[in-house]
Amino acid sequence: MYQTILKENGLKATHQRLAILSEIEKYGHVQIETLYESIHTLYPTLALGTLYRNINELKEKNIIQEVHVNNSKVYYETIKEKHHHFTCKECGMIEDIQLDAEPIHSSVTLPKGSSVDRIDVMLYGTCDKCASH
Amino acid sequence: MYQTILKENGLKATHQRLAILSEIEKYGHVQIETLYESIHTLYPTLALGTLYRNINELKEKNIIQEVHVNNSKVYYETIKEKHHHFTCKECGMIEDIQLDAEPIHSSVTLPKGSSVDRIDVMLYGTCDKCASH
DNA sequence: ATAATTGCAAATTTTTTGCAGGTTC
DNA sequence: GAACCTGCAAAAAATTTGCAATTAT
């Protein structure tokens, strides 16, 4: 329930914020432009400035996060259970992937003294649809 | 030799391009602003527009690539042997890491019909210096 | 010689900000 | 009612573009 999450983070549960979060959720992974167009249909008065301000706040509070694919495209997703990503080089589709990164954690050699507490894996390839085009 | 790499990709080996590449190489991972300031000292006439145009061309030709860390910072690096990255959450330092992603490749379950041909791993943690601050 | 590239300036796009009025708790 | 948020408009920052002059091959 986003209402709760927002309050827990000291943010007021405004219509705009709830709309932003539920749209991001709906898309799964979405770029800011698409997000703006989409929310604008629901809330024609939503200002782009408000969207940017909220995206930044929600990032700071770790309610959403960025996903970067392929040299420069930035998507947003809500933060949920830990997962990784698969993206199709043809169509750009992004999908959440469940995988165990522990083998990497335990086998990697780091500079002495450093420690790792999070691993993000990005898989690039071709999706079903594009493979069979 | 960048002279050769550029020509192989149908690009002329201008002073500007060679300077851009050797500066990126020097830094390892660098943001466009730092890169501009740094090259500008060597070539005071280098136009920012030229830098952007070249960054884009070099990306298209796969001579350089972007590295994204921590919600929104973009760095550039030259493309060399396959590697992964470690970044320190405290100081933002980025380091190339050698690791074997094959265990992931062979254990991950993808949607039927999709295939993976590249895996990028990003490790987040704390570096030596910051750990012992 | 010629085709590509640069610098410069202007245009465009993206993101941030100030503030008065409105909303949430 | 107080603190927080929003919309709007303006400002700032980042990126792209057109073109005449220059440079690489």
Side-chain angles (χ1 to χ4, degrees), chain A residues 60-95:
Chain A
E60 278 164 25
K61 303 289 189 181
N62 289 307
I63 299 171
I64 64 173
Q65 70 187 350
E66 297 188 350
V67 180
H68 297 265
V69 297
N70 258 340
N71 278 337
S72 83
K73 288 194 182 173
V74 180
Y75 292 81
Y76 293 94
E77 67 177 3
T78 56
I79 294 186
K80 34 202 178 218
E81 334 76 69
K82 173 67 182 172
H83 63 273
H84 301 269
H85 295 103
F86 167 75
T87 184
C88 175
K89 288 174 158 181
E90 304 291 325
C91 65
M93 168 277 263
I94 303 175
E95 198 152 310

PDB file of all heavy atoms in Angstrom, chain A residues 60-95:
ATOM      1  N   GLU A  60      15.334   9.197  -3.407  1.00  0.00           N
ATOM      2  CA  GLU A  60      16.068   9.398  -2.152  1.00  0.00           C
ATOM      3  C   GLU A  60      15.545   8.515  -1.030  1.00  0.00           C
ATOM      4  O   GLU A  60      16.310   8.045  -0.195  1.00  0.00           O
ATOM      5  CB  GLU A  60      15.969  10.862  -1.705  1.00  0.00           C
ATOM      6  CG  GLU A  60      16.970  11.763  -2.404  1.00  0.00           C
ATOM      7  CD  GLU A  60      16.596  13.246  -2.238  1.00  0.00           C
ATOM      8  OE1 GLU A  60      15.903  13.563  -1.244  1.00  0.00           O
ATOM      9  OE2 GLU A  60      16.973  14.060  -3.109  1.00  0.00           O
ATOM     10  N   LYS A  61      14.242   8.318  -1.014  1.00  0.00           N
ATOM     11  CA  LYS A  61      13.633   7.508   0.040  1.00  0.00           C
ATOM     12  C   LYS A  61      13.664   6.016  -0.302  1.00  0.00           C
ATOM     13  O   LYS A  61      13.071   5.201   0.405  1.00  0.00           O
ATOM     14  CB  LYS A  61      12.179   7.931   0.254  1.00  0.00           C
ATOM     15  CG  LYS A  61      12.000   9.386   0.594  1.00  0.00           C
ATOM     16  CD  LYS A  61      12.493   9.723   1.990  1.00  0.00           C
ATOM     17  CE  LYS A  61      12.075  11.140   2.361  1.00  0.00           C
ATOM     18  NZ  LYS A  61      12.543  11.533   3.688  1.00  0.00           N
ATOM     19  N   ASN A  62      14.283   5.698  -1.405  1.00  0.00           N
ATOM     20  CA  ASN A  62      14.354   4.297  -1.831  1.00  0.00           C
ATOM     21  C   ASN A  62      13.002   3.639  -2.027  1.00  0.00           C
ATOM     22  O   ASN A  62      12.808   2.472  -1.685  1.00  0.00           O
ATOM     23  CB  ASN A  62      15.170   3.475  -0.838  1.00  0.00           C
ATOM     24  CG  ASN A  62      16.628   3.836  -0.916  1.00  0.00           C
ATOM     25  OD1 ASN A  62      17.222   3.824  -1.997  1.00  0.00           O
ATOM     26  ND2 ASN A  62      17.212   4.200   0.214  1.00  0.00           N
ATOM     27  N   ILE A  63      12.098   4.397  -2.615  1.00  0.00           N
ATOM     28  CA  ILE A  63      10.795   3.829  -2.933  1.00  0.00           C
ATOM     29  C   ILE A  63      10.785   3.415  -4.408  1.00  0.00           C
ATOM     30  O   ILE A  63      10.130   2.476  -4.804  1.00  0.00           O
ATOM     31  CB  ILE A  63       9.671   4.841  -2.609  1.00  0.00           C
ATOM     32  CG1 ILE A  63       9.712   5.164  -1.103  1.00  0.00           C
ATOM     33  CG2 ILE A  63       8.304   4.310  -3.013  1.00  0.00           C
ATOM     34  CD1 ILE A  63       8.806   6.306  -0.684  1.00  0.00           C
ATOM     35  N   ILE A  64      11.526   4.157  -5.187  1.00  0.00           N
ATOM     36  CA  ILE A  64      11.729   3.759  -6.585  1.00  0.00           C
ATOM     37  C   ILE A  64      13.224   3.778  -6.865  1.00  0.00           C
ATOM     38  O   ILE A  64      14.006   4.310  -6.076  1.00  0.00           O
ATOM     39  CB  ILE A  64      11.022   4.708  -7.588  1.00  0.00           C
ATOM     40  CG1 ILE A  64      11.627   6.120  -7.512  1.00  0.00           C
ATOM     41  CG2 ILE A  64       9.534   4.753  -7.334  1.00  0.00           C
ATOM     42  CD1 ILE A  64      11.103   7.050  -8.591  1.00  0.00           C
ATOM     43  N   GLN A  65      13.599   3.206  -7.999  1.00  0.00           N
ATOM     44  CA  GLN A  65      15.007   3.274  -8.381  1.00  0.00           C
ATOM     45  C   GLN A  65      15.139   3.275  -9.898  1.00  0.00           C
ATOM     46  O   GLN A  65      14.213   2.927 -10.617  1.00  0.00           O
ATOM     47  CB  GLN A  65      15.800   2.120  -7.779  1.00  0.00           C
ATOM     48  CG  GLN A  65      15.486   0.780  -8.381  1.00  0.00           C
ATOM     49  CD  GLN A  65      16.163  -0.374  -7.648  1.00  0.00           C
ATOM     50  OE1 GLN A  65      17.013  -0.172  -6.791  1.00  0.00           O
ATOM     51  NE2 GLN A  65      15.780  -1.594  -7.983  1.00  0.00           N
ATOM     52  N   GLU A  66      16.300   3.663 -10.341  1.00  0.00           N
ATOM     53  CA  GLU A  66      16.553   3.705 -11.775  1.00  0.00           C
ATOM     54  C   GLU A  66      17.065   2.368 -12.272  1.00  0.00           C
ATOM     55  O   GLU A  66      17.735   1.647 -11.542  1.00  0.00           O
ATOM     56  CB  GLU A  66      17.625   4.751 -12.090  1.00  0.00           C
ATOM     57  CG  GLU A  66      17.221   6.142 -11.730  1.00  0.00           C
ATOM     58  CD  GLU A  66      18.221   7.176 -12.235  1.00  0.00           C
ATOM     59  OE1 GLU A  66      19.305   6.793 -12.700  1.00  0.00           O
ATOM     60  OE2 GLU A  66      17.894   8.371 -12.162  1.00  0.00           O
ATOM     61  N   VAL A  67      16.746   2.085 -13.527  1.00  0.00           N
ATOM     62  CA  VAL A  67      17.321   0.923 -14.197  1.00  0.00           C
ATOM     63  C   VAL A  67      17.927   1.472 -15.476  1.00  0.00           C
ATOM     64  O   VAL A  67      17.264   2.197 -16.218  1.00  0.00           O
ATOM     65  CB  VAL A  67      16.245  -0.120 -14.570  1.00  0.00           C
ATOM     66  CG1 VAL A  67      16.885  -1.307 -15.265  1.00  0.00           C
ATOM     67  CG2 VAL A  67      15.483  -0.562 -13.345  1.00  0.00           C
ATOM     68  N   HIS A  68      19.195   1.171 -15.695  1.00  0.00           N
ATOM     69  CA  HIS A  68      19.869   1.678 -16.890  1.00  0.00           C
ATOM     70  C   HIS A  68      20.101   0.544 -17.853  1.00  0.00           C
ATOM     71  O   HIS A  68      20.618  -0.483 -17.466  1.00  0.00           O
ATOM     72  CB  HIS A  68      21.233   2.244 -16.516  1.00  0.00           C
ATOM     73  CG  HIS A  68      21.147   3.413 -15.599  1.00  0.00           C
ATOM     74  ND1 HIS A  68      21.153   4.698 -16.049  1.00  0.00           N
ATOM     75  CD2 HIS A  68      21.031   3.482 -14.262  1.00  0.00           C
ATOM     76  CE1 HIS A  68      21.047   5.521 -15.017  1.00  0.00           C
ATOM     77  NE2 HIS A  68      20.984   4.806 -13.926  1.00  0.00           N
ATOM     78  N   VAL A  69      19.733   0.754 -19.107  1.00  0.00           N
ATOM     79  CA  VAL A  69      20.054  -0.263 -20.089  1.00  0.00           C
ATOM     80  C   VAL A  69      20.745   0.357 -21.282  1.00  0.00           C
ATOM     81  O   VAL A  69      20.507   1.524 -21.597  1.00  0.00           O
ATOM     82  CB  VAL A  69      18.811  -1.037 -20.570  1.00  0.00           C
ATOM     83  CG1 VAL A  69      18.180  -1.803 -19.419  1.00  0.00           C
ATOM     84  CG2 VAL A  69      17.808  -0.132 -21.221  1.00  0.00           C
ATOM     85  N   ASN A  70      21.600  -0.441 -21.893  1.00  0.00           N
ATOM     86  CA  ASN A  70      22.123  -0.093 -23.200  1.00  0.00           C
ATOM     87  C   ASN A  70      22.553   1.331 -23.440  1.00  0.00           C
ATOM     88  O   ASN A  70      21.880   2.063 -24.170  1.00  0.00           O
ATOM     89  CB  ASN A  70      21.012  -0.353 -24.206  1.00  0.00           C
ATOM     90  CG  ASN A  70      21.271  -1.630 -24.911  1.00  0.00           C
ATOM     91  OD1 ASN A  70      22.401  -2.114 -24.923  1.00  0.00           O
ATOM     92  ND2 ASN A  70      20.237  -2.184 -25.505  1.00  0.00           N
ATOM     93  N   ASN A  71      23.637   1.733 -22.897  1.00  0.00           N
ATOM     94  CA  ASN A  71      24.088   3.077 -23.197  1.00  0.00           C
ATOM     95  C   ASN A  71      23.000   4.129 -23.193  1.00  0.00           C
ATOM     96  O   ASN A  71      22.507   4.549 -24.224  1.00  0.00           O
ATOM     97  CB  ASN A  71      24.798   3.112 -24.554  1.00  0.00           C
ATOM     98  CG  ASN A  71      26.228   2.660 -24.423  1.00  0.00           C
ATOM     99  OD1 ASN A  71      26.805   2.733 -23.352  1.00  0.00           O
ATOM    100  ND2 ASN A  71      26.804   2.190 -25.511  1.00  0.00           N
ATOM    101  N   SER A  72      22.600   4.525 -22.032  1.00  0.00           N
ATOM    102  CA  SER A  72      21.858   5.763 -21.819  1.00  0.00           C
ATOM    103  C   SER A  72      20.353   5.810 -21.583  1.00  0.00           C
ATOM    104  O   SER A  72      19.864   6.847 -21.170  1.00  0.00           O
ATOM    105  CB  SER A  72      22.222   6.814 -22.857  1.00  0.00           C
ATOM    106  OG  SER A  72      21.523   6.645 -24.036  1.00  0.00           O
ATOM    107  N   LYS A  73      19.620   4.775 -21.821  1.00  0.00           N
ATOM    108  CA  LYS A  73      18.195   4.899 -21.491  1.00  0.00           C
ATOM    109  C   LYS A  73      17.966   4.649 -19.995  1.00  0.00           C
ATOM    110  O   LYS A  73      18.469   3.692 -19.438  1.00  0.00           O
ATOM    111  CB  LYS A  73      17.353   3.925 -22.302  1.00  0.00           C
ATOM    112  CG  LYS A  73      17.266   4.338 -23.753  1.00  0.00           C
ATOM    113  CD  LYS A  73      16.170   3.569 -24.470  1.00  0.00           C
ATOM    114  CE  LYS A  73      16.130   3.950 -25.946  1.00  0.00           C
ATOM    115  NZ  LYS A  73      15.203   3.110 -26.717  1.00  0.00           N
ATOM    116  N   VAL A  74      17.178   5.509 -19.381  1.00  0.00           N
ATOM    117  CA  VAL A  74      16.904   5.390 -17.952  1.00  0.00           C
ATOM    118  C   VAL A  74      15.427   5.075 -17.728  1.00  0.00           C
ATOM    119  O   VAL A  74      14.554   5.760 -18.246  1.00  0.00           O
ATOM    120  CB  VAL A  74      17.221   6.703 -17.205  1.00  0.00           C
ATOM    121  CG1 VAL A  74      16.924   6.541 -15.715  1.00  0.00           C
ATOM    122  CG2 VAL A  74      18.654   7.106 -17.428  1.00  0.00           C
ATOM    123  N   TYR A  75      15.187   4.033 -16.997  1.00  0.00           N
ATOM    124  CA  TYR A  75      13.823   3.647 -16.657  1.00  0.00           C
ATOM    125  C   TYR A  75      13.665   3.705 -15.150  1.00  0.00           C
ATOM    126  O   TYR A  75      14.638   3.603 -14.412  1.00  0.00           O
ATOM    127  CB  TYR A  75      13.544   2.219 -17.126  1.00  0.00           C
ATOM    128  CG  TYR A  75      13.507   2.075 -18.625  1.00  0.00           C
ATOM    129  CD1 TYR A  75      14.683   1.973 -19.363  1.00  0.00           C
ATOM    130  CD2 TYR A  75      12.296   2.046 -19.310  1.00  0.00           C
ATOM    131  CE1 TYR A  75      14.653   1.859 -20.744  1.00  0.00           C
ATOM    132  CE2 TYR A  75      12.255   1.924 -20.691  1.00  0.00           C
ATOM    133  CZ  TYR A  75      13.437   1.837 -21.404  1.00  0.00           C
ATOM    134  OH  TYR A  75      13.407   1.730 -22.766  1.00  0.00           O
ATOM    135  N   TYR A  76      12.422   3.829 -14.697  1.00  0.00           N
ATOM    136  CA  TYR A  76      12.147   3.791 -13.261  1.00  0.00           C
ATOM    137  C   TYR A  76      11.309   2.579 -12.935  1.00  0.00           C
ATOM    138  O   TYR A  76      10.473   2.157 -13.728  1.00  0.00           O
ATOM    139  CB  TYR A  76      11.416   5.061 -12.824  1.00  0.00           C
ATOM    140  CG  TYR A  76      12.305   6.267 -12.956  1.00  0.00           C
ATOM    141  CD1 TYR A  76      12.277   7.047 -14.107  1.00  0.00           C
ATOM    142  CD2 TYR A  76      13.239   6.568 -11.967  1.00  0.00           C
ATOM    143  CE1 TYR A  76      13.154   8.119 -14.261  1.00  0.00           C
ATOM    144  CE2 TYR A  76      14.106   7.636 -12.110  1.00  0.00           C
ATOM    145  CZ  TYR A  76      14.064   8.400 -13.265  1.00  0.00           C
ATOM    146  OH  TYR A  76      14.927   9.450 -13.405  1.00  0.00           O
ATOM    147  N   GLU A  77      11.554   2.042 -11.745  1.00  0.00           N
ATOM    148  CA  GLU A  77      10.745   0.927 -11.256  1.00  0.00           C
ATOM    149  C   GLU A  77      10.559   1.101  -9.757  1.00  0.00           C
ATOM    150  O   GLU A  77      11.365   1.759  -9.095  1.00  0.00           O
ATOM    151  CB  GLU A  77      11.428  -0.417 -11.543  1.00  0.00           C
ATOM    152  CG  GLU A  77      12.720  -0.625 -10.760  1.00  0.00           C
ATOM    153  CD  GLU A  77      13.369  -2.000 -10.985  1.00  0.00           C
ATOM    154  OE1 GLU A  77      12.865  -2.783 -11.788  1.00  0.00           O
ATOM    155  OE2 GLU A  77      14.400  -2.252 -10.329  1.00  0.00           O
ATOM    156  N   THR A  78       9.491   0.540  -9.235  1.00  0.00           N
ATOM    157  CA  THR A  78       9.297   0.601  -7.789  1.00  0.00           C
ATOM    158  C   THR A  78      10.215  -0.448  -7.180  1.00  0.00           C
ATOM    159  O   THR A  78      10.546  -1.447  -7.818  1.00  0.00           O
ATOM    160  CB  THR A  78       7.836   0.294  -7.400  1.00  0.00           C
ATOM    161  OG1 THR A  78       7.472  -0.967  -7.941  1.00  0.00           O
ATOM    162  CG2 THR A  78       6.903   1.360  -7.930  1.00  0.00           C
ATOM    163  N   ILE A  79      10.621  -0.208  -5.932  1.00  0.00           N
ATOM    164  CA  ILE A  79      11.515  -1.165  -5.300  1.00  0.00           C
ATOM    165  C   ILE A  79      10.698  -2.241  -4.599  1.00  0.00           C
ATOM    166  O   ILE A  79       9.826  -1.944  -3.799  1.00  0.00           O
ATOM    167  CB  ILE A  79      12.451  -0.451  -4.297  1.00  0.00           C
ATOM    168  CG1 ILE A  79      13.379   0.480  -5.087  1.00  0.00           C
ATOM    169  CG2 ILE A  79      13.262  -1.463  -3.493  1.00  0.00           C
ATOM    170  CD1 ILE A  79      14.455   1.149  -4.272  1.00  0.00           C
ATOM    171  N   LYS A  80      10.968  -3.468  -4.950  1.00  0.00           N
ATOM    172  CA  LYS A  80      10.257  -4.598  -4.353  1.00  0.00           C
ATOM    173  C   LYS A  80      11.289  -5.634  -3.954  1.00  0.00           C
ATOM    174  O   LYS A  80      12.390  -5.260  -3.572  1.00  0.00           O
ATOM    175  CB  LYS A  80       9.255  -5.161  -5.364  1.00  0.00           C
ATOM    176  CG  LYS A  80       9.761  -5.073  -6.783  1.00  0.00           C
ATOM    177  CD  LYS A  80       8.681  -5.119  -7.829  1.00  0.00           C
ATOM    178  CE  LYS A  80       9.370  -4.967  -9.195  1.00  0.00           C
ATOM    179  NZ  LYS A  80       8.635  -4.170 -10.141  1.00  0.00           N
ATOM    180  N   GLU A  81      10.955  -6.904  -3.981  1.00  0.00           N
ATOM    181  CA  GLU A  81      11.941  -7.917  -3.609  1.00  0.00           C
ATOM    182  C   GLU A  81      13.144  -7.794  -4.551  1.00  0.00           C
ATOM    183  O   GLU A  81      13.008  -7.419  -5.709  1.00  0.00           O
ATOM    184  CB  GLU A  81      11.401  -9.348  -3.744  1.00  0.00           C
ATOM    185  CG  GLU A  81       9.914  -9.502  -3.629  1.00  0.00           C
ATOM    186  CD  GLU A  81       9.195  -9.046  -4.899  1.00  0.00           C
ATOM    187  OE1 GLU A  81       9.331  -9.718  -5.941  1.00  0.00           O
ATOM    188  OE2 GLU A  81       8.489  -8.001  -4.853  1.00  0.00           O
ATOM    189  N   LYS A  82      14.274  -8.171  -4.036  1.00  0.00           N
ATOM    190  CA  LYS A  82      15.514  -8.114  -4.810  1.00  0.00           C
ATOM    191  C   LYS A  82      15.378  -8.916  -6.102  1.00  0.00           C
ATOM    192  O   LYS A  82      14.899 -10.043  -6.100  1.00  0.00           O
ATOM    193  CB  LYS A  82      16.656  -8.687  -3.963  1.00  0.00           C
ATOM    194  CG  LYS A  82      17.983  -8.847  -4.697  1.00  0.00           C
ATOM    195  CD  LYS A  82      18.577  -7.500  -5.061  1.00  0.00           C
ATOM    196  CE  LYS A  82      19.891  -7.670  -5.838  1.00  0.00           C
ATOM    197  NZ  LYS A  82      20.376  -6.371  -6.356  1.00  0.00           N
ATOM    198  N   HIS A  83      15.786  -8.309  -7.187  1.00  0.00           N
ATOM    199  CA  HIS A  83      15.745  -9.019  -8.463  1.00  0.00           C
ATOM    200  C   HIS A  83      16.777  -8.420  -9.399  1.00  0.00           C
ATOM    201  O   HIS A  83      17.432  -7.436  -9.065  1.00  0.00           O
ATOM    202  CB  HIS A  83      14.353  -8.923  -9.075  1.00  0.00           C
ATOM    203  CG  HIS A  83      13.957  -7.514  -9.400  1.00  0.00           C
ATOM    204  ND1 HIS A  83      13.359  -6.682  -8.483  1.00  0.00           N
ATOM    205  CD2 HIS A  83      14.110  -6.780 -10.517  1.00  0.00           C
ATOM    206  CE1 HIS A  83      13.151  -5.496  -9.021  1.00  0.00           C
ATOM    207  NE2 HIS A  83      13.609  -5.526 -10.263  1.00  0.00           N
ATOM    208  N   HIS A  84      16.903  -9.026 -10.570  1.00  0.00           N
ATOM    209  CA  HIS A  84      17.854  -8.532 -11.559  1.00  0.00           C
ATOM    210  C   HIS A  84      17.095  -8.273 -12.853  1.00  0.00           C
ATOM    211  O   HIS A  84      15.871  -8.348 -12.869  1.00  0.00           O
ATOM    212  CB  HIS A  84      18.978  -9.558 -11.701  1.00  0.00           C
ATOM    213  CG  HIS A  84      19.682  -9.814 -10.407  1.00  0.00           C
ATOM    214  ND1 HIS A  84      20.783  -9.110  -9.999  1.00  0.00           N
ATOM    215  CD2 HIS A  84      19.378 -10.659  -9.387  1.00  0.00           C
ATOM    216  CE1 HIS A  84      21.147  -9.511  -8.786  1.00  0.00           C
ATOM    217  NE2 HIS A  84      20.309 -10.461  -8.394  1.00  0.00           N
ATOM    218  N   HIS A  85      17.804  -7.944 -13.909  1.00  0.00           N
ATOM    219  CA  HIS A  85      17.097  -7.599 -15.142  1.00  0.00           C
ATOM    220  C   HIS A  85      17.616  -8.284 -16.388  1.00  0.00           C
ATOM    221  O   HIS A  85      18.813  -8.549 -16.518  1.00  0.00           O
ATOM    222  CB  HIS A  85      17.142  -6.086 -15.360  1.00  0.00           C
ATOM    223  CG  HIS A  85      16.414  -5.322 -14.318  1.00  0.00           C
ATOM    224  ND1 HIS A  85      17.066  -4.663 -13.298  1.00  0.00           N
ATOM    225  CD2 HIS A  85      15.087  -5.142 -14.095  1.00  0.00           C
ATOM    226  CE1 HIS A  85      16.168  -4.101 -12.508  1.00  0.00           C
ATOM    227  NE2 HIS A  85      14.964  -4.383 -12.958  1.00  0.00           N
ATOM    228  N   PHE A  86      16.675  -8.513 -17.282  1.00  0.00           N
ATOM    229  CA  PHE A  86      17.005  -9.021 -18.606  1.00  0.00           C
ATOM    230  C   PHE A  86      16.469  -7.987 -19.580  1.00  0.00           C
ATOM    231  O   PHE A  86      15.347  -7.514 -19.431  1.00  0.00           O
ATOM    232  CB  PHE A  86      16.299 -10.364 -18.858  1.00  0.00           C
ATOM    233  CG  PHE A  86      16.335 -10.795 -20.298  1.00  0.00           C
ATOM    234  CD1 PHE A  86      17.507 -11.295 -20.858  1.00  0.00           C
ATOM    235  CD2 PHE A  86      15.200 -10.678 -21.109  1.00  0.00           C
ATOM    236  CE1 PHE A  86      17.547 -11.680 -22.199  1.00  0.00           C
ATOM    237  CE2 PHE A  86      15.239 -11.059 -22.446  1.00  0.00           C
ATOM    238  CZ  PHE A  86      16.411 -11.569 -22.983  1.00  0.00           C
ATOM    239  N   THR A  87      17.261  -7.613 -20.564  1.00  0.00           N
ATOM    240  CA  THR A  87      16.737  -6.692 -21.571  1.00  0.00           C
ATOM    241  C   THR A  87      17.034  -7.211 -22.957  1.00  0.00           C
ATOM    242  O   THR A  87      18.082  -7.809 -23.200  1.00  0.00           O
ATOM    243  CB  THR A  87      17.278  -5.259 -21.396  1.00  0.00           C
ATOM    244  OG1 THR A  87      16.649  -4.399 -22.359  1.00  0.00           O
ATOM    245  CG2 THR A  87      18.766  -5.194 -21.609  1.00  0.00           C
ATOM    246  N   CYS A  88      16.083  -7.001 -23.856  1.00  0.00           N
ATOM    247  CA  CYS A  88      16.235  -7.478 -25.229  1.00  0.00           C
ATOM    248  C   CYS A  88      16.898  -6.381 -26.058  1.00  0.00           C
ATOM    249  O   CYS A  88      16.429  -5.250 -26.094  1.00  0.00           O
ATOM    250  CB  CYS A  88      14.883  -7.832 -25.821  1.00  0.00           C
ATOM    251  SG  CYS A  88      14.994  -8.279 -27.566  1.00  0.00           S
ATOM    252  N   LYS A  89      17.977  -6.766 -26.719  1.00  0.00           N
ATOM    253  CA  LYS A  89      18.725  -5.795 -27.515  1.00  0.00           C
ATOM    254  C   LYS A  89      17.943  -5.312 -28.725  1.00  0.00           C
ATOM    255  O   LYS A  89      18.237  -4.261 -29.284  1.00  0.00           O
ATOM    256  CB  LYS A  89      20.024  -6.432 -28.018  1.00  0.00           C
ATOM    257  CG  LYS A  89      21.055  -6.624 -26.926  1.00  0.00           C
ATOM    258  CD  LYS A  89      22.230  -7.395 -27.489  1.00  0.00           C
ATOM    259  CE  LYS A  89      23.482  -7.149 -26.658  1.00  0.00           C
ATOM    260  NZ  LYS A  89      24.640  -7.880 -27.205  1.00  0.00           N
ATOM    261  N   GLU A  90      16.990  -6.122 -29.167  1.00  0.00           N
ATOM    262  CA  GLU A  90      16.207  -5.745 -30.345  1.00  0.00           C
ATOM    263  C   GLU A  90      15.124  -4.743 -29.989  1.00  0.00           C
ATOM    264  O   GLU A  90      15.081  -3.647 -30.507  1.00  0.00           O
ATOM    265  CB  GLU A  90      15.517  -6.976 -30.951  1.00  0.00           C
ATOM    266  CG  GLU A  90      16.443  -8.119 -31.315  1.00  0.00           C
ATOM    267  CD  GLU A  90      17.337  -7.777 -32.491  1.00  0.00           C
ATOM    268  OE1 GLU A  90      16.870  -7.054 -33.398  1.00  0.00           O
ATOM    269  OE2 GLU A  90      18.508  -8.235 -32.498  1.00  0.00           O
ATOM    270  N   CYS A  91      14.260  -5.151 -29.078  1.00  0.00           N
ATOM    271  CA  CYS A  91      13.080  -4.328 -28.801  1.00  0.00           C
ATOM    272  C   CYS A  91      13.198  -3.484 -27.544  1.00  0.00           C
ATOM    273  O   CYS A  91      12.349  -2.632 -27.289  1.00  0.00           O
ATOM    274  CB  CYS A  91      11.840  -5.212 -28.718  1.00  0.00           C
ATOM    275  SG  CYS A  91      11.848  -6.372 -27.336  1.00  0.00           S
ATOM    276  N   GLY A  92      14.221  -3.717 -26.763  1.00  0.00           N
ATOM    277  CA  GLY A  92      14.419  -2.888 -25.582  1.00  0.00           C
ATOM    278  C   GLY A  92      13.595  -3.295 -24.373  1.00  0.00           C
ATOM    279  O   GLY A  92      13.696  -2.695 -23.308  1.00  0.00           O
ATOM    280  N   MET A  93      12.781  -4.300 -24.553  1.00  0.00           N
ATOM    281  CA  MET A  93      11.945  -4.806 -23.447  1.00  0.00           C
ATOM    282  C   MET A  93      12.804  -5.140 -22.223  1.00  0.00           C
ATOM    283  O   MET A  93      13.906  -5.657 -22.355  1.00  0.00           O
ATOM    284  CB  MET A  93      11.224  -6.043 -23.967  1.00  0.00           C
ATOM    285  CG  MET A  93      10.540  -6.869 -22.930  1.00  0.00           C
ATOM    286  SD  MET A  93      11.692  -8.007 -22.123  1.00  0.00           S
ATOM    287  CE  MET A  93      11.378  -9.495 -23.043  1.00  0.00           C
ATOM    288  N   ILE A  94      12.298  -4.813 -21.042  1.00  0.00           N
ATOM    289  CA  ILE A  94      13.016  -5.131 -19.814  1.00  0.00           C
ATOM    290  C   ILE A  94      12.159  -6.047 -18.954  1.00  0.00           C
ATOM    291  O   ILE A  94      10.960  -5.835 -18.829  1.00  0.00           O
ATOM    292  CB  ILE A  94      13.296  -3.868 -18.974  1.00  0.00           C
ATOM    293  CG1 ILE A  94      14.081  -2.854 -19.798  1.00  0.00           C
ATOM    294  CG2 ILE A  94      14.065  -4.225 -17.703  1.00  0.00           C
ATOM    295  CD1 ILE A  94      14.279  -1.540 -19.083  1.00  0.00           C
ATOM    296  N   GLU A  95      12.791  -7.041 -18.407  1.00  0.00           N
ATOM    297  CA  GLU A  95      12.047  -7.988 -17.578  1.00  0.00           C
ATOM    298  C   GLU A  95      12.792  -8.244 -16.276  1.00  0.00           C
ATOM    299  O   GLU A  95      14.014  -8.316 -16.262  1.00  0.00           O
ATOM    300  CB  GLU A  95      11.929  -9.292 -18.370  1.00  0.00           C
ATOM    301  CG  GLU A  95      10.851 -10.213 -17.875  1.00  0.00           C
ATOM    302  CD  GLU A  95      10.346 -11.065 -19.040  1.00  0.00           C
ATOM    303  OE1 GLU A  95      10.023 -10.484 -20.102  1.00  0.00           O
ATOM    304  OE2 GLU A  95      10.291 -12.285 -18.888  1.00  0.00           O
TER     305      GLU A  95
END
